Every structure is written in C-alpha cells, then in structure tokens.
Amino acid sequence: MESRNQARLLLQSSWARLNARMGARLLGQTLILGTGRFAQSLARSLNSRLQSGREDVSGYLHLERLPTPVRLQGLPVHRHWTPEGLPRGTSVAIGLCHPETIAYWRSRLEAAGVRVLLSEETEMVGDTSQYISPESGFYSCNAPEVATALSDLSHDVYHLPEYLQLCADQENAEPLYYIGNQGRTRVLIPLLRRPIPGELSPDEPLWDLASPYGYPCPLVSLPDSQDSLVSLFEGFRKTAAEAGIVSAFLRLHPLYSIPLDQLRSVGELFTHGQTVYMDLQLSEEDGWRETRQRHRGQIRQLLREGFHCELDCWEYYPEFQQIYLDTMARVGATSYYHFDIEYFDGLREALGERLHLACVLSPQNKLAAAALFMRQSGLLQYHLSGTRDEFLQLGPSKLMFHELRHWGCDKGLRFLHLGGGLGGSNTDPLFRFKSGFSSLKADFHSFRMVIDHERFEFLTRRRAELEGPGFEENLGSFFPAYRKQLR
C-alpha cells in the first residue's frame, strides 16, 4: 500500500514539474516503455512539446509478451530489448499507468544507468486515482477498472467490452471480467457467466464460466516469478467458488504467449490443433513465395478475368450476410454459426472502424465472395466469410487473402490470423486451404478448470442419467461434461 501511495503522489506532482523540466534538450533517442493507449498518448504529448528540440520520441519498447504493431504513429516498436542493452544516452519515458509496474521498471532501468523520464518530465493524463490496482474480483463491462486494465495491456479485439457484450447477447449470458492481482503480476479475463440448466440443478441456482467466441485469452502482465500465475488462478478459483461457479472453460490465443506449464498445475490444458497466420511484414516477393503454387495460379486467373477486391464497401453488407448463411448451409455448419441479422448489425455497431468487410467482385461487379476481418493491436483476425455458389470453383477468396496481405503491410499491421480447421483438425480442407497462404502455424489450446468438484460430479451424473446409454462413449474431450447432449 505504501508503494501505491508513493506512486500516486509522484503522478499527482507531474504536471506542476512538467513545464520547468521540458525546456531541457533531451540527448540521444527518447523511447516510450509500453505500446498501449496510455503509452501512445504520452508519445503524442512529448512529441508536441519537443518539436523545438533536436530529438523527438523515436520509438516504443515493447513490454508485454504479446503481438504488437510493427509501427505505432509511424514509430518503430522494439520487441527484443533489455535495460542493460539500451544504447548509451537513451532516455525512456514510462508510458504505463499501473503504479506497481511503473516502480518495477523504474528500478530496473535506473539500475542499468538509463535516464528515466517519469513523473517529473512526462505528462500523466487524467485522474491519477484510476491507476491504483483494483481489488481482485469480477467486474462488469462498463467498470472503469476494466477500461484502465485494457489501456495498460496489449489486447486483441476479443477482449473489448463491446465484443464481449455482443457475444453475451447471442448466448443469453452475463458478460463479466475477472481482474486478479498478485504483487506486480496482473490478469484480466473476459468471461460469459452462464446459468446451468434447471433440469440439472432444480434446487439451487448455479453457473459456469466460458470465454466468448474467438481467442479471448487471459491477459497477463509481468509474470515475473514461477508462482505468480499459479497464485492468480488460485485466487480466481476461490473467487469463482464463492460466487457459485462450478467450472470455467477458457479459450487461449495462439499468438499470445502465456506460461502453459503454470496453467497445467491449476487445471487441464487441452490442445485442439494448430492455426495459420500470415506475416504481413514480408516483402511482396516473400509473401508470394509463401503462397502455394495452386493458389498462385488461381489468383493469376482471377486477375486476368477481371476479378478485383474492394475493402469496406458496406453497401454489400446485407448481400454478404445471405451469402454467409448459404455457405454455412452448404458446408453443414451447426446452428451455432447461423448468425442472425441482429448479430451482424451488432458486430458492426460494436467494433466500428475495427471491423472491415473485404469483397471480391466479378468483372460485372457482382459479389463473388466476402469476409469480415477484425483489427486490433497490429493483428487482423479473419472472422466470417462466404462464397457465392456460382463462383465456388474459381476460388475468389484466394484473391481476397492475397490483397489483404498487401493492405495489412501498408497499414503497418503485424499478422493476419486465419485460424484453424474445423474442430481443430490439421487435415480437413479448411485447414489445407488456409495453410496455402503461409507456413506459419501456432498451437491453439483451451484451459479447463473445475471450480467445485462435488457439484461438477453431481451435474455430470445427472446429465448421464438424462441422456441414457452412450453418454460416456460420446463424451470425448467435451467440457464441461454436464453440458454434453446426445440429441
């Protein structure tokens, strides 16, 4: 508590000392520690005040072990660095808003002889009281603690409150975030709280937790000890048990690193297969070389015949929705993937400029194929797509991915994540199609935690009784078992 109070006092004194200190010319390069919203705001503020000097902010030091854009505001992001390895004369402004994290990095940088521009020489924006760590527990989507945590952590579109609320509406669930603190280490987890069916538990209300659709992994900051993540998840288990939660099912992110060995010690880690992602910073020649020969041939044919790709032509959005539903019917997708018009409208409203519609048009400007992509923190996520039946043999979506590789590179994005095959398979046609654009692959895991073992076993026995013979044989890796229905 004392360190938090000291950090608060330092932050509150920043504005008074700013004008007096900023007149001094900064020697060497000035880097911002962090890549979140607060760090970018700090870079803009410093650059506006340093225009008369010889040096402006020249880049960012990447902190989280997560994907980031290659460039933010036209500045490079340095991924692999240590305080001891920074060039002589470097100044670092700490663009973080969590006091424990600020204190940690200040001590490491100063010990390495790096000049730290902290509260005396950087502008801390807004009410400094919001930067104090919240109590561990569950928070609603609109809680200020959630907004602060997201501003201090690199995150994907799946972590946004607007996206979480949309998924909750689709699944008749309650959107929640869990925020946990253990020293300097923090975790934020987007969750859907789902009521357990009454036929399984008629006498008391019970719930379980699940991630929303996609890859909304737990976001972990500064896992600086072997036990920190374990302690965070044990705290999560305790808080969930007190709230009547029976189990938790979390989807991890193939491109966001998290200490898997520590997770295994507090729950079950399940590998579903691999996903494919494209490096958007490859040269045009290297990107074309990554594309499978058959894909290249079809792309050339489409271009010769006059097919072309357009981005964000939203007048095609209603037509795309019908093509998507027709595609799901053609491939035999489950009802889960048959989204209604409210979902499509809600997705665009929730994500705004983060959502992109890519359209492949025929020479007659007829919509041949289209897909939705979601953009956040240097990542472009492939979301939903469809191809009109009459163009299926031409493979128009191949042209779409080819063009998006160039578009993403121009925008300074890092990766286009294509996802995996149906059911996590590495051999089905969908996975083979995606892997024709890139040799880069990552493992996709889910994490399962039984919170209340006694109730979990009771509910599973009750489900087995309701489903009858064949329940155990058809259970497989399904989790939680008590939600498995045979018909």
Side-chain angles (χ1 to χ4, degrees):
M1 181 62 70
E2 182 179 354
S3 64
R4 292 183 187 175
N5 289 335
Q6 291 173 346
R8 182 185 298 194
L9 291 173
L10 283 171
L11 291 171
Q12 289 173 336
S13 68
S14 63
W15 176 249
R17 302 182 183 180
L18 176 65
N19 289 325
R21 299 279 185 147
M22 287 306 295
R25 179 174 294 169
L26 299 178
L27 302 177
Q29 63 177 340
T30 300
L31 300 170
I32 303 290
L33 176 59
T35 55
R37 184 174 63 189
F38 186 79
Q40 294 176 59
S41 175
L42 177 58
R44 283 192 293 267
S45 174
L46 285 177
N47 273 333
S48 69
R49 295 177 178 276
L50 299 178
Q51 289 176 356
S52 59
R54 292 187 302 176
E55 301 293 340
D56 284 353
V57 172
S58 53
Y60 296 87
L61 297 175
H62 182 44
L63 176 60
E64 309 297 338
R65 297 176 175 90
L66 308 173
T68 65
V70 171
R71 304 183 73 82
L72 293 170
Q73 302 166 314
L75 300 176
V77 175
H78 306 283
R79 292 180 57 83
H80 303 293
W81 64 278
T82 62
E84 297 76 17
L86 292 176
R88 290 177 60 87
T90 297
S91 298
V92 174
I94 301 183
L96 307 169
C97 63
H98 189 280
E100 294 283 358
T101 311
I102 291 172
Y104 171 78
W105 283 106
R106 181 185 186 183
S107 64
R108 283 199 60 185
L109 289 163
E110 289 180 343
V114 177
R115 183 183 182 210
V116 178
L117 308 181
L118 191 60
S119 60
E120 296 88 346
E121 297 176 81
T122 59
E123 179 180 2
M124 299 300 177
V125 183
D127 179 11
T128 57
S129 64
Q130 68 178 308
Y131 305 140
I132 305 304
S133 296
E135 296 295 328
S136 295
F138 293 106
Y139 290 85
S140 65
C141 281
N142 58 1
E145 292 86 352
V146 171
T148 299
L150 286 173
S151 71
D152 204 23
L153 290 165
S154 297
H155 55 276
D156 204 346
V157 70
Y158 305 109
H159 300 96
L160 297 173
E162 299 88 346
Y163 181 82
L164 183 60
Q165 182 66 63
L166 177 68
C167 291
D169 293 341
Q170 285 290 307
E171 299 192 32
N172 296 315
E174 178 186 2
L176 290 173
Y177 286 88
Y178 177 79
I179 299 177
N181 296 284
Q182 179 67 35
R184 289 187 298 268
T185 307
R186 287 163 287 129
V187 66
L188 179 140
I189 312 173
L191 296 161
L192 300 177
R193 190 177 84 146
R194 310 176 298 181
I196 291 176
E199 70 267 18
L200 298 179
S201 178
D203 299 327
E204 60 176 336
L206 297 173
W207 297 268
D208 55 21
L209 299 172
S211 295
Y213 177 75
Y215 305 103
C217 64
L219 297 176
V220 183
S221 173
L222 292 178
D224 55 353
S225 75
Q226 290 298 312
D227 300 325
S228 58
L229 193 65
V230 174
S231 298
L232 283 172
F233 273 85
E234 288 297 351
F236 169 70
R237 184 199 301 275
K238 181 177 182 296
T239 304
E242 293 171 352
I245 304 299
V246 176
S247 68
F249 175 83
L250 307 182
R251 295 178 173 93
L252 304 189
H253 198 302
L255 302 183
Y256 277 33
S257 63
I258 189 170
L260 298 180
D261 288 340
Q262 295 184 40
L263 281 183
R264 287 190 180 95
S265 66
V266 290
E268 179 188 5
L269 199 66
F270 187 84
T271 303
H272 294 268
Q274 292 184 310
T275 64
V276 181
Y277 62 103
M278 297 164 60
D279 185 347
L280 298 179
Q281 291 299 307
L282 292 178
S283 67
E284 185 173 353
E285 295 77 12
D286 289 340
W288 188 242
R289 194 177 298 115
E290 278 277 280
T291 307
R292 185 181 297 146
Q293 184 175 357
R294 178 175 171 81
H295 284 9
R296 294 201 300 261
Q298 287 185 291
I299 291 168
R300 290 191 187 101
Q301 179 184 353
L302 288 162
L303 290 172
R304 284 196 302 268
E305 294 184 6
F307 285 82
H308 55 286
C309 184
E310 299 287 346
L311 204 65
D312 294 337
C313 294
W314 291 102
E315 61 268 24
Y316 290 105
Y317 199 38
E319 192 175 350
F320 159 71
Q321 295 169 28
Q322 187 57 54
I323 292 175
Y324 168 79
L325 293 174
D326 292 343
T327 300
M328 292 301 98
R330 185 178 65 240
V331 301
T334 64
S335 59
Y336 182 84
Y337 295 98
H338 289 250
F339 300 109
D340 54 27
I341 189 172
E342 286 77 15
Y343 174 80
F344 287 101
D345 290 345
L347 187 66
R348 190 177 179 196
E349 181 181 356
L351 299 186
E353 294 181 352
R354 296 184 181 94
L355 186 68
H356 298 283
L357 174 64
C359 299
V360 179
L361 303 175
S362 74
Q364 296 76 34
N365 284 327
K366 188 173 184 179
L367 187 61
L372 289 174
F373 295 83
M374 304 185 298
R375 173 184 174 187
Q376 176 73 28
S377 299
L379 289 177
L380 196 60
Q381 290 282 0
Y382 173 43
H383 189 48
L384 304 174
S385 69
T387 301
R388 196 185 293 275
D389 289 351
E390 64 185 276
F391 297 104
L392 197 58
Q393 295 302 316
L394 294 174
S397 58
K398 296 181 177 67
L399 177 60
M400 177 173 59
F401 288 118
H402 173 69
E403 294 294 341
L404 277 171
R405 188 197 297 273
H406 300 308
W407 180 83
C409 181
D410 291 341
K411 295 294 183 182
L413 304 182
R414 187 66 182 92
F415 298 117
L416 166 52
H417 187 221
L418 300 179
L422 293 174
S425 171
N426 283 22
T427 59
D428 79 311
L430 179 60
F431 186 85
R432 290 199 302 272
F433 166 78
K434 293 176 178 178
S435 59
F437 292 96
S438 176
S439 60
L440 298 175
K441 298 175 178 64
D443 293 330
F444 171 46
H445 300 90
S446 65
F447 175 71
R448 296 104 182 271
M449 175 181 278
V450 177
I451 307 294
D452 188 323
H453 287 270
E454 183 177 346
R455 286 190 171 93
F456 187 92
E457 292 173 1
F458 168 79
L459 294 171
T460 303
R461 289 195 302 270
R462 178 61 178 151
R463 175 59 69 190
E465 294 169 0
L466 292 174
E467 298 300 318
F471 177 75
E472 295 288 344
E473 293 83 351
N474 288 279
L475 188 57
S477 62
F478 192 90
F479 185 91
Y482 53 78
R483 285 192 178 268
K484 176 72 173 181
Q485 293 180 280
L486 303 182
R487 50 192 175 277

